[in-house]
Amino acid sequence: MLNNRKERWHMPKPKVAFYWCASCGGCEETVVDLAEDILGVVEKVDIVFWPVAMDFKYADVRAMPDKSITASFVNGAIRSSEQEEMARLLRQKSQFLIAYGSCACTGGIPGLANQFSRKQILDFVYQGSPSTVNESGTRPQTKFQDNGRQVYLPEFRNMVRALDQVVEVDYYVPGCPPTPNITKEAVGALLAGRLPPKGSVLAPDIALCDECPRKDSKPTNVSFKEFVRPHQKILDPSLCFLAQGVVCMGPSTRKGCTAQCPSGNMPCTGCFGPTSRVKDQGAKILSSLCANVEPKDEASIDKVLEGIPDPIGTFYRYGLAKSLLRRKVNLPAS
Amino acid sequence: MSEITENNVSTGWSPRIIAFFCNWCTYTAADLAGVSRMKYASNVRIIRVMCSGRIDPQFVLEAFAKGADGVLVGGCHPNDCHYVEGNYKMLRRYRLLQRMLSDMGIEPERFRLEWISAAEGDKVKHVVNDMVEKLTKLGPLALDQKQKDWDKEVQSLEDDVHAQQQEGAVAHA
Amino acid sequence: MNEQAKNVWNQAQAMANAAYRARRRNVTIDPITRLEGHGKIDIFLNEQGGVERAYFQVPELRGFEVFSIGRPAEDMPQITSRICGVCPTAHHMASAKCLDSLYGVQPPPAGRKIRELVYSAFMFEDHALHVYVLGGPDFIVGPEAPAAERNIFGVIGKVGVDVGKKVIGMRRRLRELIAYFGGKVVHPVMCLPGGVSKGLDPADLPKFKQLAADGLEFAQFTLQVFKDIVLKNPEYVKLITSEAYTHKTYYMGLVDENNKVNFYDGQLRVVDPNGKEFAKFPVEKYRDYVAEHVEPWSYMKFPYLKPLGWRGFEEGPDSSIYAVAPLARLNASDGFTTPLAQKAFEEYFATLGGKPVHHTLATHYARVVEMIYAAERMVELLNDPEITSKEIRTIPTKTPSVGIGVVEAPRGTLFHHYETDERGIIKMANLIVATVNNSARIAMSVERAAKGLIKNGEISEGLLNKVEMAFRAYDPCLGCATHSLPGHMPLVANIYNHRGELQRRLEQH
């Protein structure tokens, strides 16, 4: 098996595809931001599919033999039937399917929509919004007849899913977006055949605190008398956020991003996802922060916890779709 | 150690509660209840932990995700923790976790924290019976089944695509 | 299935696709290339083989406004930036201004200047991306050029590798400036109500000053390239001014008190198709002037001028459709506050026959003019001694309730409107996002281009690119337009004959 894989790398240039599902385009930007470095990559691979920059069609992909694409990097979450189809198509045609970016890995920020029903979204956008004028109650239709003309729109699903909740995924490159260095390393590892076990996340397996420039001021015994929301005080650019009473997801998030957000003087929000030893990122940070709250009685504890008014948005900002609960439980199934 | 037996309720459904009891206090109390032959609802599966402070919120979430209708945590009274601070940690986590569960549509009654000392066997009985009664009124959570239902829409596409491939029809070029 | 059987099966399916297409005779442009997002065009032919109707559809929706409910308002700059990874800074900035409004707090001068500096760098970089990589290649390489060349590589082929390196290098340096203040360039983190999180260290000032100076030179160089390659080419000028790409709508943009263009702040000004001022109002009154209309065949809504009521997809003074983005901003204003941009502004109108300019493709030219303004603003701000001050944030003290923030994004006017409870937790969020302001006009442009170009039922690939050009000139960001998850299925165009049968389907990735 291993020999086969190594052999493959000596064949003519490996074929690579980039695709985006429900994505903001930021992951594509990162690939472009490799800038001059990307030319080094482009030389070594044959890009067979990259909608944002090149003119290949779906039919071209369908015509490829199964497993003929060496690696497909798919970013974006899955919310519509078309996205599911494309995910399946690329899985069929690729040796390795790689979930690229937080949305593909864990559902991303759009995963927060799992706290709401599809109906709530449609009702607000097409009726309830303060600037929408829609007396007739028109709604977008999946099939619409206009003077004998029939037009179609795709259906979108009741919930947001990560890529591996639809197809089998081989590797994960985390981040919102993944940083150029993480991307380079991932691609480099693939090209060199240095493949970790299937299912691995291609980022270091240790918390962000390890590479954060504020590490030295991280308190060994932190005791929260209050949680301060970032806009409520001036943030010290050199001190650990936890020491300032500000919630930082660093302790529950993988490193690998070089702590970009702290370098912009804002706390980490968790986009690289948890380490391999954690099942539910939000639960872990909740556990850690709460355990270190100072008071011992309910009323005082609650007062401190008022500083975290939105645990879902704060702890599961990028990973609600892959959390243990996945979705608000009392929403309809369809 | 309580036996794990299914409760034969005539309506057919009865809540399933996962209980995490701390070794030094609540678990001992449950033992006491058993030894004293106190009768109480057997809907509860007890998991012994050394301290309520050991309880990782992931356990609670996973219990719900796997089909528990309720999660009960029993620890030592404030000031009595065998490891000094552990029960306070549990209390702090509990306050936020309960709020978070509620934001996800899980009613606060389903997640309960009680301080039960080693001698309070009858408190175990009362708490469990009370929780079963409340949850019976609320109905099942059955999140494991719900997640399967949610995923039917993805399965339906899988079946569709499969069917189309067999007919030779094309979805869209 | 063994290997051979699989190959045979795939081949059979490919042949089946082709046969199916031939039989059903559909025309679908799917997907549109070189834009951000997902779009679909359905074209219906009449009995003569001409176009009866074309529907421009955007088939995606994410629901940012709804899942923002329950979020702390101070998280919104980072949450809403995920609407778009190409223009995250626009959302970040609009959201920041909305928070200022929400909390009734103003940044100290240095805080505001840093925001403007980052924003100018972003506008410059984004416009450059469009000119050289997205829409520009249509002109620089040519609309008739083979698809394989109509991209950045073709541009480099045309203008030379050195220029190519300059473009890539300039883009990289500008993005480094954004990352300096914002932590990261895609989804920056800097803005908070009342200011920014990070200031400018005086030690870093010289390199940014150099960047601004180089940037201004590059912007002027870009204008020269545009003049040499596009304006001096009569074929292109004919294309730009042709009927197929012209619409007489209203125009909207942010202006300062002297009606000069300002990307970051000001009042909204609307001019009618003859260039006369129709309205000028503070952003807080946006709902009196802007309303969104819903059609059943698209997830994207269609904004129009509320005082006039929805009048359908029409143009001229009887319509209520308005446009935004560079073309509109130049029409809706009286000029720029900076000298070189002002000169370019005057030259622009002189070249195109006076105000207002209704030619959609002239947007490319307007975009270059705006690049010059953005660069000049960067120079101004970096030479302002206050830019290195440490006073970059005012801590809010008032209780929040309602906020409205508007900026000019590269692709048009961007509205953020939040309502919160007394803790600053979002109760309602309404977003009208740049490209969507143009949606009615885009739909009309697509239909007009299709009608102008498809005759006697003859459809060609080159024609489709010309339809796409109408579309691409708006530099549409469809992810933004529907605050949706762009599932990037690029543009599909279906063409139906008069019996409603799908005649042809064209796809372009």
Side-chain angles (χ1 to χ4, degrees), chain C residues 210-230:
Chain C
Q210 185 62 48
L211 167 60
D214 293 345
L216 183 52
E217 203 188 297
F218 178 76
Q220 292 182 279
F221 165 78
T222 304
L223 181 60
Q224 197 54 47
V225 164
F226 191 83
K227 283 182 185 169
D228 289 340
I229 295 182
V230 181

Short mmCIF file of all heavy atoms in Angstrom, two decimals, chain C residues 210-230:
data_model
loop_
_atom_site.label_atom_id
_atom_site.label_comp_id
_atom_site.label_asym_id
_atom_site.label_seq_id
_atom_site.Cartn_x
_atom_site.Cartn_y
_atom_site.Cartn_z
N GLN C 210 6.53 54.80 2.32
CA GLN C 210 7.10 54.38 1.05
C GLN C 210 6.06 53.63 0.24
O GLN C 210 5.91 53.83 -0.97
CB GLN C 210 8.33 53.48 1.31
CG GLN C 210 9.07 53.07 0.05
CD GLN C 210 9.63 54.26 -0.69
OE1 GLN C 210 10.26 55.13 -0.11
NE2 GLN C 210 9.36 54.32 -1.98
N LEU C 211 5.33 52.76 0.93
CA LEU C 211 4.29 51.98 0.26
C LEU C 211 3.26 52.91 -0.37
O LEU C 211 2.85 52.73 -1.52
CB LEU C 211 3.61 51.05 1.27
CG LEU C 211 2.29 50.39 0.84
CD1 LEU C 211 2.49 49.52 -0.39
CD2 LEU C 211 1.73 49.54 1.98
N ALA C 212 2.85 53.93 0.37
CA ALA C 212 1.84 54.86 -0.14
C ALA C 212 2.36 55.58 -1.38
O ALA C 212 1.64 55.75 -2.38
CB ALA C 212 1.43 55.85 0.94
N ALA C 213 3.61 56.02 -1.31
CA ALA C 213 4.19 56.73 -2.45
C ALA C 213 4.25 55.80 -3.68
O ALA C 213 3.87 56.18 -4.79
CB ALA C 213 5.58 57.25 -2.09
N ASP C 214 4.73 54.57 -3.45
CA ASP C 214 4.79 53.60 -4.56
C ASP C 214 3.40 53.30 -5.08
O ASP C 214 3.19 53.12 -6.28
CB ASP C 214 5.44 52.29 -4.08
CG ASP C 214 6.90 52.47 -3.74
OD1 ASP C 214 7.48 53.51 -4.14
OD2 ASP C 214 7.47 51.59 -3.07
N GLY C 215 2.46 53.25 -4.15
CA GLY C 215 1.09 52.97 -4.53
C GLY C 215 0.51 54.02 -5.45
O GLY C 215 -0.16 53.71 -6.43
N LEU C 216 0.79 55.27 -5.12
CA LEU C 216 0.26 56.35 -5.94
C LEU C 216 0.84 56.28 -7.35
O LEU C 216 0.13 56.43 -8.35
CB LEU C 216 0.58 57.70 -5.29
CG LEU C 216 0.03 58.93 -6.00
CD1 LEU C 216 -1.47 58.79 -6.25
CD2 LEU C 216 0.30 60.19 -5.18
N GLU C 217 2.13 56.00 -7.40
CA GLU C 217 2.77 55.84 -8.70
C GLU C 217 2.13 54.70 -9.48
O GLU C 217 1.84 54.81 -10.67
CB GLU C 217 4.25 55.53 -8.45
CG GLU C 217 5.18 55.87 -9.58
CD GLU C 217 6.57 55.32 -9.28
OE1 GLU C 217 7.17 55.76 -8.28
OE2 GLU C 217 7.01 54.41 -10.03
N PHE C 218 1.86 53.60 -8.78
CA PHE C 218 1.28 52.43 -9.42
C PHE C 218 -0.13 52.73 -9.91
O PHE C 218 -0.54 52.30 -10.99
CB PHE C 218 1.27 51.26 -8.43
CG PHE C 218 0.65 50.02 -8.96
CD1 PHE C 218 1.34 49.21 -9.87
CD2 PHE C 218 -0.62 49.63 -8.57
CE1 PHE C 218 0.76 48.05 -10.36
CE2 PHE C 218 -1.19 48.47 -9.06
CZ PHE C 218 -0.50 47.69 -9.96
N ALA C 219 -0.89 53.50 -9.13
CA ALA C 219 -2.25 53.83 -9.54
C ALA C 219 -2.23 54.66 -10.82
O ALA C 219 -3.03 54.44 -11.74
CB ALA C 219 -2.96 54.58 -8.43
N GLN C 220 -1.31 55.61 -10.87
CA GLN C 220 -1.22 56.43 -12.08
C GLN C 220 -0.75 55.60 -13.26
O GLN C 220 -1.21 55.79 -14.39
CB GLN C 220 -0.28 57.60 -11.84
CG GLN C 220 -0.87 58.59 -10.85
CD GLN C 220 0.04 59.77 -10.64
OE1 GLN C 220 1.00 59.71 -9.90
NE2 GLN C 220 -0.26 60.85 -11.33
N PHE C 221 0.15 54.66 -12.98
CA PHE C 221 0.60 53.74 -14.02
C PHE C 221 -0.59 52.95 -14.56
O PHE C 221 -0.74 52.76 -15.77
CB PHE C 221 1.66 52.82 -13.44
CG PHE C 221 1.96 51.62 -14.29
CD1 PHE C 221 2.76 51.73 -15.42
CD2 PHE C 221 1.44 50.37 -13.97
CE1 PHE C 221 3.03 50.63 -16.21
CE2 PHE C 221 1.71 49.26 -14.75
CZ PHE C 221 2.51 49.40 -15.88
N THR C 222 -1.45 52.50 -13.65
CA THR C 222 -2.62 51.73 -14.06
C THR C 222 -3.53 52.55 -14.95
O THR C 222 -4.07 52.05 -15.94
CB THR C 222 -3.40 51.24 -12.82
OG1 THR C 222 -2.52 50.50 -11.98
CG2 THR C 222 -4.58 50.36 -13.21
N LEU C 223 -3.68 53.82 -14.61
CA LEU C 223 -4.51 54.69 -15.44
C LEU C 223 -3.91 54.80 -16.84
O LEU C 223 -4.62 54.75 -17.85
CB LEU C 223 -4.63 56.09 -14.81
CG LEU C 223 -5.49 57.09 -15.57
CD1 LEU C 223 -6.92 56.58 -15.69
CD2 LEU C 223 -5.48 58.45 -14.89
N GLN C 224 -2.60 54.91 -16.89
CA GLN C 224 -1.93 55.01 -18.19
C GLN C 224 -2.13 53.73 -19.00
O GLN C 224 -2.42 53.78 -20.21
CB GLN C 224 -0.43 55.28 -17.99
CG GLN C 224 0.28 55.79 -19.21
CD GLN C 224 -0.38 57.02 -19.80
OE1 GLN C 224 -0.72 57.97 -19.09
NE2 GLN C 224 -0.64 57.00 -21.11
N VAL C 225 -1.99 52.57 -18.33
CA VAL C 225 -2.20 51.29 -19.00
C VAL C 225 -3.61 51.24 -19.57
O VAL C 225 -3.84 50.86 -20.73
CB VAL C 225 -2.01 50.11 -18.00
CG1 VAL C 225 -2.61 48.82 -18.55
CG2 VAL C 225 -0.54 49.90 -17.70
N PHE C 226 -4.56 51.69 -18.76
CA PHE C 226 -5.95 51.66 -19.20
C PHE C 226 -6.14 52.57 -20.41
O PHE C 226 -6.79 52.20 -21.40
CB PHE C 226 -6.87 52.11 -18.05
CG PHE C 226 -8.32 51.87 -18.32
CD1 PHE C 226 -8.88 50.64 -18.09
CD2 PHE C 226 -9.12 52.89 -18.84
CE1 PHE C 226 -10.23 50.41 -18.36
CE2 PHE C 226 -10.46 52.66 -19.11
CZ PHE C 226 -11.02 51.42 -18.87
N LYS C 227 -5.54 53.75 -20.34
CA LYS C 227 -5.69 54.68 -21.48
C LYS C 227 -5.07 54.07 -22.73
O LYS C 227 -5.67 54.09 -23.81
CB LYS C 227 -5.00 56.00 -21.16
CG LYS C 227 -5.78 56.90 -20.24
CD LYS C 227 -5.01 58.21 -20.04
CE LYS C 227 -5.70 59.08 -19.02
NZ LYS C 227 -4.85 60.21 -18.62
N ASP C 228 -3.85 53.51 -22.57
CA ASP C 228 -3.14 53.00 -23.73
C ASP C 228 -3.84 51.80 -24.35
O ASP C 228 -3.93 51.68 -25.57
CB ASP C 228 -1.70 52.59 -23.34
CG ASP C 228 -0.85 53.81 -23.05
OD1 ASP C 228 -1.23 54.92 -23.50
OD2 ASP C 228 0.18 53.66 -22.37
N ILE C 229 -4.28 50.89 -23.50
CA ILE C 229 -4.81 49.64 -24.04
C ILE C 229 -6.29 49.73 -24.36
O ILE C 229 -6.76 49.11 -25.31
CB ILE C 229 -4.54 48.48 -23.06
CG1 ILE C 229 -3.03 48.25 -22.95
CG2 ILE C 229 -5.24 47.20 -23.51
CD1 ILE C 229 -2.66 47.10 -22.07
N VAL C 230 -7.02 50.49 -23.58
CA VAL C 230 -8.47 50.50 -23.76
C VAL C 230 -8.96 51.74 -24.50
O VAL C 230 -9.57 51.66 -25.55
CB VAL C 230 -9.19 50.39 -22.40
CG1 VAL C 230 -10.69 50.36 -22.60
CG2 VAL C 230 -8.76 49.12 -21.67
#
